[in-house]
Amino acid sequence: MKNLALHWKIIIGLLLGIVWAVLSGFFGWSEFTINWIAPWGRIFISLLKLIAIPLVLFSIIGGIVGLGDPKHLGKLGLRTLLLYLVTTILAVSIGLILVNAVKPGVWMDKSVRTENRIAYELWAQQEGHPAHDNTCLLCDDSNQSLIDEVAKRRGYDQDENVAKRLKQVSEQKESGPLQFLEDMVPENVFWAMSDNAHMLKIIFFAIFFGISLLFVPDKQSKPVINVINGLTEVFLKMVDLIMKAAPFFVFALLAGLVSEMAGDDPAKVFEMFKGLTWYSLTVLAGLLLMAFVIYPTIMKFFVKRLSYKSFLKGISPAQMLAFSTSSSAATLPVTLECVEENLKVDPKVSSFVLPIGATVNMDGTSMYQAIAVVFLAQWHMIDLDLGEQLTIVLTATLASIGSAAIPSAGLVMLMIVLSSVGLNPAWIGIILPVDRILDMVRTVVNVTGDATVSTVIGELNGSSKETTEDKKAE
């Protein structure tokens, strides 16, 4: 067992958690599970939330500082960042189109979704957030017995705010067209860092701070950069230490979550996984579309010398390693070799573009976050309007910059995106049973996107190996 890879231990933990929850339903142990096992899952969520803000802050600053001399923010840097931004927005948009078309979150029994909606409204009341849309199941007297049952089962009955009846949500005041820009700029960054819901403000500060640091003389900036890089390593180590205990935490999280949702009715467990199957198929469809259709099409449009087959064949070793490690950073050396040797990109370009991509380009992760947030909203009978879905596009795109290139880092960023639209970040526990395999596939997408952008930038700069060799021959 000691020699077993961590991801296998996590898979075993989540499977045991589900089995425990099913047995709890059959034997009436749900109360014991909720009182004595579920709290450890919530501790796991709290630990992840604890490191989310500083990890994003220092990762983004470090990524921008990694550009080096401000001159690198010139033609090559701007082209690189712009193309990465375009592919990320494209990935998120495709994800939103798919999840709104397929609606994987509605493939469940209506009674289960009704309970989920009540649980969401109880959570929103407890947190002091207004509930989404105009639905208010807590306001319907006919739901009182179900409300009491859900509140007691999920522990909300101990919160004094739940005793008060939720009133209809008043309409929010109309805001101007540039309100989203106002919301991105913090008046006090320390206040913004006090709550994950203000992540856009933190990301803005990190970008502003990182760019400003590039223009400070080396003598003054180097100590700051060393501190930032050191702090980044510390928080990544915290992630590593937390993940060592992840199998136990995942067991507790899944056992508690499924027990809270199903109670002593095991049939509800199977309804839950019916929805997860449709969610997984939607995510996989989007990821495979990006990796094997969108990227080769972009490549074919800009790089005439490479065919669809030669591109995929050239990058396939990096894709296989990405699938097995779920880490863009671990795959980077192989990606560099594939891009330089197989796709014939000048090392001066690839050595600049690919490391940046491993930090800021997370197309697969961003797409998965967009699909997951809308799916979880559908799961809880929440309709996200156009403005909220645009917020998802913006937050997922910017949060991808701070996603560490390590396994399961996307889960931390997903919590940020959930918070940005007023949803419960603890809902990541719902998709944990299928996250590992999806994490492997989305890392393939991330690495393929890095290779695509690197090759396109090399072609636009006229600096492919073949072009260089031709010029020398002349």
Side-chain angles (χ1 to χ4, degrees):
M1 191 72 174
K2 289 183 179 180
N3 297 326
L4 202 61
L6 178 62
H7 66 270
W8 288 114
K9 293 179 181 179
I10 292 175
I11 290 173
I12 291 172
L14 66 87
L15 290 176
L16 289 176
I18 295 167
V19 170
W20 179 274
V22 173
L23 292 176
S24 295
F26 276 114
F27 296 107
W29 300 341
S30 294
E31 186 175 352
F32 171 83
T33 301
I34 292 169
N35 291 336
W36 295 96
I37 296 179
W40 294 102
R42 292 194 289 272
I43 290 172
F44 179 51
I45 297 296
S46 297
L47 286 171
L48 291 176
K49 291 172 70 175
L50 171 69
I51 61 176
I53 288 177
L55 185 61
V56 167
L57 179 65
F58 296 120
S59 292
I60 292 177
I61 295 174
I64 292 174
V65 170
L67 292 172
D69 194 301
K71 294 178 182 178
H72 291 164
L73 285 171
K75 195 173 183 180
L76 179 60
L78 289 176
R79 277 181 172 176
T80 300
L81 295 176
L82 180 61
L83 196 48
Y84 277 140
L85 181 64
V86 169
T87 59
T88 301
I89 293 175
L90 182 62
V92 175
S93 301
I94 290 173
L96 287 176
I97 291 171
L98 281 173
V99 74
N100 281 289
V102 178
K103 297 187 181 299
V106 305
W107 292 86
M108 292 177 63
D109 185 79
K110 187 177 180 180
S111 62
V112 176
R113 294 181 67 224
T114 300
E115 288 191 19
N116 291 344
R117 173 70 195 199
I118 290 173
Y120 158 70
E121 291 185 15
L122 290 170
W123 171 83
Q125 183 176 6
Q126 179 179 330
E127 296 295 315
H129 298 321
H132 282 269
D133 51 58
N134 294 320
T135 305
C136 182
L137 298 187
L138 296 185
C139 303
D140 190 343
D141 292 334
S142 63
N143 293 325
Q144 191 58 53
S145 60
L146 185 58
I147 293 169
D148 293 339
E149 179 188 343
V150 173
K152 183 178 181 180
R153 188 197 316 153
R154 304 198 182 193
Y156 291 109
D157 58 330
Q158 298 176 8
D159 188 276
E160 59 182 9
N161 293 325
V162 178
K164 303 174 183 178
R165 296 296 304 273
L166 184 65
K167 298 180 179 180
Q168 291 286 354
V169 179
S170 59
E171 295 184 1
Q172 295 184 347
K173 295 181 179 179
E174 294 184 3
S175 56
L178 296 181
Q179 184 64 42
F180 73 98
L181 285 178
E182 292 185 46
D183 293 339
M184 285 182 62
V185 182
E187 295 180 358
N188 185 327
V189 70
F190 298 102
W191 168 80
M193 290 168 61
S194 67
D195 191 341
N196 284 357
H198 305 306
M199 190 55 64
L200 279 177
K201 298 179 185 292
I202 296 167
I203 291 173
F204 172 85
F205 172 78
I207 293 173
F208 190 25
F209 188 95
I211 292 175
S212 300
L213 196 56
L214 288 177
F215 291 92
V216 175
D218 290 344
K219 186 177 180 181
Q220 285 78 31
S221 65
K222 192 171 182 180
V224 179
I225 294 171
N226 289 336
V227 170
I228 289 170
N229 289 336
L231 288 170
T232 301
E233 290 301 317
V234 171
F235 284 108
L236 288 176
K237 177 54 68 174
M238 290 175 71
V239 174
D240 183 53
L241 293 174
I242 292 171
M243 293 308 291
K244 288 183 184 299
F248 166 72
F249 283 134
V250 166
F251 164 79
L253 185 64
L254 264 293
L257 182 70
V258 176
S259 291
E260 287 170 357
M261 295 186 69
D264 292 328
D265 184 0
K268 292 180 181 177
V269 177
F270 300 104
E271 282 292 331
M272 174 180 173
F273 283 97
K274 184 169 71 175
L276 284 178
T277 299
W278 282 103
Y279 158 73
S280 301
L281 291 174
T282 305
V283 174
L284 286 173
L287 294 176
L288 294 176
L289 181 66
M290 281 298 295
F292 299 105
V293 178
I294 303 299
Y295 289 139
T297 300
I298 294 173
M299 181 68 66
K300 186 64 180 173
F301 182 81
F302 287 99
V303 188
K304 305 297 183 183
R305 60 185 176 81
L306 286 174
S307 66
Y308 176 90
K309 183 178 180 181
S310 59
F311 168 67
L312 290 179
K313 183 179 180 181
I315 197 61
S316 59
Q319 289 179 322
M320 292 300 100
L321 185 62
F323 184 80
S324 59
T325 64
S326 296
S327 171
S328 300
T331 312
L332 184 57
V334 177
T335 309
L336 280 164
E337 183 179 4
C338 290
V339 169
E340 293 171 7
E341 299 300 324
N342 300 339
L343 304 183
K344 306 299 180 184
V345 177
D346 191 328
K348 291 180 181 178
V349 173
S350 61
S351 62
F352 175 79
V353 177
L354 288 175
I356 295 176
T359 304
V360 305
N361 182 48
M362 299 287 172
D363 292 350
T365 303
S366 300
M367 174 183 282
Y368 132 84
Q369 289 169 350
I371 294 175
V373 170
V374 179
F375 162 73
L376 290 169
Q378 294 170 350
W379 182 287
H380 291 82
M381 295 180 70
I382 299 169
D383 292 323
L384 297 177
D385 60 29
L386 180 60
E388 289 162 336
Q389 296 208 24
L390 289 176
T391 299
I392 292 173
V393 173
L394 182 61
T395 311
T397 300
L398 294 178
S400 69
I401 298 172
S403 292
I406 56 175
S408 300
L411 281 175
V412 179
M413 300 305 156
L414 176 58
M415 296 167 66
I416 295 167
V417 183
L418 283 167
S419 297
S420 72
V421 288
L423 301 180
N424 189 351
W427 288 351
I428 65 166
I430 295 172
I431 60 174
L432 269 178
V434 295
D435 183 70
R436 181 58 191 179
I437 185 66
L438 297 179
D439 189 18
M440 297 163 78
V441 180
R442 64 181 180 254
T443 306
V444 173
V445 173
N446 294 341
V447 169
T448 308
D450 294 346
T452 301
V453 171
S454 180
T455 309
V456 170
I457 293 296
E459 199 72 12
L460 292 176
N461 283 9
S463 53
S464 70
K465 279 189 174 182
E466 290 181 353
T467 304
T468 305
E469 290 170 2
D470 290 342
K471 287 182 178 178
K472 287 181 179 179
E474 293 175 1

